[in-house]
Structure formats: C-alpha cells, structure tokens
Amino acid sequence: MKNRLFAAGALIALSYSATALAESNVGSSDQGEYLSDWWKQSVNVVGSYHTRFGPRLNNDIYLEYEAFAHKDWFDFYGYLDVPKTFGAGNSNDTGIWDKNGSPLFMEIEPRFSIDKLTGTDLSFGPFKEWYFANNYIFDLGPDSDNRQNTWYMGLGTDIDTHTPLNLSLNVYAKYQWENYSAANENSWDGYRFKVKYFLPLGDLWGGHFSYIGFTNFDWGSDLNENGNKSRTSNSIASSHILALNYAHWHYSVVARYFHNGGQWQDGTELNFGNGNFDVKSTGWGYYAVIGYSF
C-alpha cells in the first residue's frame, strides 16, 4: 500500500523556495482562478507499474487528492489516495468500501518553522531555515492486521545552494503503531533521512518543465531481528520526476528506484498460502500522473 505516490508536479511545494517559484509561474490573470491563494490543491489520476513497497510487485490506477502550502511558519504537503477507484491493477482492487484491500491511504508532511515561531534567525552557512518536521502515514486497511499507522518526527532545513537547484533535508525518528502485523508495532523503530530537490529546466510546449524528486534513506530498524531473514533494518526509495506544469493542468512521469523496498529482503523466498514466490523489492518502479489544480 505504501506505493501510493503523489502527483509529481506538486512536489515543487516541498520547500519554501520551490513554492514561491511555482506561484510565480502563474500569471496574474490566473490568480483568481484558484480557490485559495496559499492552499494549493489538485485532483490527480495516478498510474503505477512495478512498485516495490511490499514483497510482490504492484500495479495500480487510482484517484488522488493532493494539497500543499507555505504560509508564514507553516509548511505543508499531503495527499489522500483512493486505491480502488477504477478497479484496475492487482487483486483486491474492486469494491471501494468492501473488506478486501485498503479503501484509503493518506500521507502528510507538515513542517513548523522554528525560526518564525521563536522569532529567532537560526540560519548559518547554507542552512536558511529550521523546522520541526513530521511525516505521518496512515493506511486504512479493513482491520488492524492490514493497517499502517506511522509517524516520523524530527528536524528539517532548507539549503541555499546558490544555484537554481532547491534543496531541503529532513531527519526523523520513527514511531510505529500498526504495521500490517509486523514485529515492530507499537515501538520506536528506526530513522529516516529525506532529501528533496527541485530544478527548473525551462519552458516547454507553453508550460514549465522541471526535474523534481526525493530520496528516503531508512535505517536502524529492528524488523530483521530474531532470525527474520525476510525483513531488513534499512531500505532506500529514490524518485526521479520530470514534470510539465500549466496554470491548472500538470503531467509527470516518474522513475523510482527501490532497495529492499518496504524493508523486505530482496530475493527471499516466501509463501503466503498460495505457493512459493521470491521477493522482488529491489529495482525500478514507474508512475504516470495527470492532474488538475484548483
């Protein structure tokens, strides 16, 4: 379920400077066409192929609501997916409100500026601003054995690269509530380092063309303890996105590299009751996104 990826174009809003750029790309005549001048939102159709957050490869087409904002001390990104919108993809992908599979998946990333809340300039060197950073993930499975509830919390900052490249960093500790019945439920379990980047590439076909992405480095988990060779203490997910943005419509293609995706040990042989299979948690997955901002 953790394969739900937000629309790539809105990743521009993951840092303050990227948000400012996205806003400047919209002409003054278009400003009144949005419901809010600071709460940016869109509805997207996302198609995914061979994502690797679970022990099996996953494919899906689904509907997504997405929002992002930066206002004073508040920085926000989040999305809500309806995985079984179209009944297309892997098994358990029909009947939105039945008891098979997850009807909703949510991820939010609120950050709160320590500089602005305390009235203190904490910048030094390339570090422009500091945040109390959060990343919360919730998967509404049909019961606690099929549900995820994860909170990453820590420190974030924006980096001045002195180039058109926008860069932000966050480091988190993770508290794990439900996790699909995994052994690390209801415990502090591991850490995450997240790098986010955005580089404008110029104008293309009347829109604004960008390279956007993020990389998650997870480490220090106890999932592989007690002889559990199918799980790992670390994983990497790295997204590389080409996005074309207009005033309202946006389009993007994504290549995402997984290393032990979902902390599943690549190549391990498993059997969930339907015969043996090999875990394929390392390799590339792909996405395509079409969205409308309002």
Side-chain angles (χ1 to χ4, degrees):
M1 281 301 304
K2 284 162 57 179
N3 66 299
R4 312 302 172 198
L5 184 71
F6 38 81
L11 277 169
I12 297 172
L14 288 172
S15 69
Y16 173 73
S17 53
T19 302
L21 177 61
E23 291 174 349
S24 68
N25 283 338
V26 180
S28 59
S29 61
D30 295 321
Q31 292 291 338
E33 298 181 13
Y34 297 93
L35 296 182
S36 171
D37 62 356
W38 70 278
W39 183 263
K40 308 300 182 181
Q41 55 191 335
S42 66
V43 174
N44 313 304
V45 176
V46 182
S48 64
Y49 176 74
H50 279 189
T51 55
R52 302 169 187 260
F53 277 115
R56 292 189 173 101
L57 299 177
N58 193 73
N59 308 310
D60 204 358
I61 302 175
Y62 53 93
L63 192 66
E64 174 182 79
Y65 169 79
E66 180 180 44
F68 54 97
H70 186 94
K71 188 175 178 65
D72 195 20
W73 49 266
F74 182 55
D75 185 70
F76 179 85
Y77 174 78
Y79 62 92
L80 177 67
D81 292 340
V82 184
K84 302 192 289 180
T85 310
F86 304 109
N90 289 8
S91 59
N92 295 329
D93 209 25
T94 59
I96 291 177
W97 298 110
D98 63 21
K99 295 183 179 180
N100 297 316
S102 173
L104 294 171
F105 182 90
M106 178 187 77
E107 181 172 8
I108 60 173
E109 296 185 39
R111 299 197 306 173
F112 306 95
S113 172
I114 300 172
D115 297 52
K116 292 185 173 68
L117 287 172
T118 62
T120 305
D121 183 2
L122 300 175
S123 63
F124 66 94
F127 302 102
K128 297 191 295 183
E129 189 169 358
W130 294 89
Y131 300 87
F132 172 48
N134 300 269
N135 187 178
Y136 177 72
I137 300 169
F138 181 71
D139 181 3
L140 181 63
D143 52 51
S144 60
D145 290 340
N146 295 279
R147 192 171 296 151
Q148 181 190 5
N149 191 350
T150 308
W151 183 18
Y152 296 89
M153 65 197 82
L155 189 65
T157 187
D158 296 332
I159 304 296
D160 186 357
T161 66
H162 300 289
T163 73
L165 175 67
N166 291 278
L167 183 65
S168 66
L169 311 175
N170 298 298
V171 61
Y172 312 97
K174 179 178 70 174
Y175 191 83
Q176 184 67 66
W177 286 285
E178 296 152 306
N179 190 26
Y180 314 112
S181 298
N184 64 340
E185 291 189 328
N186 300 309
S187 68
W188 291 95
D189 185 61
Y191 308 91
R192 168 171 288 183
F193 178 61
K194 174 173 292 210
V195 185
K196 306 175 187 177
Y197 28 87
F198 164 67
L199 180 66
L201 299 177
D203 294 337
L204 179 67
W205 299 325
H208 303 286
F209 191 47
S210 307
Y211 167 68
I212 310 162
F214 70 92
T215 300
N216 290 332
F217 301 91
D218 295 321
W219 81 96
S221 171
D222 295 331
L223 265 183
N224 64 337
E225 291 189 349
N226 301 319
N228 188 354
K229 296 182 179 180
S230 66
R231 307 307 298 266
T232 68
S233 64
N234 58 79
S235 67
I236 298 173
S238 183
S239 290
H240 305 276
I241 303 157
L242 292 175
L244 182 62
N245 291 269
Y246 296 91
H248 290 285
W249 291 98
H250 54 263
Y251 311 88
S252 54
V253 292
V254 184
R256 192 172 201 184
Y257 181 74
F258 300 83
H259 176 73
N260 294 332
Q263 294 180 235
W264 291 94
Q265 180 65 58
D266 187 62
T268 304
E269 185 176 83
L270 295 176
N271 189 328
F272 290 160
N274 297 314
N276 294 344
F277 68 94
D278 291 333
V279 173
K280 297 180 179 180
S281 60
T282 295
W284 289 92
Y286 304 94
Y287 302 83
V289 181
I290 299 175
Y292 184 82
S293 301
F294 58 94

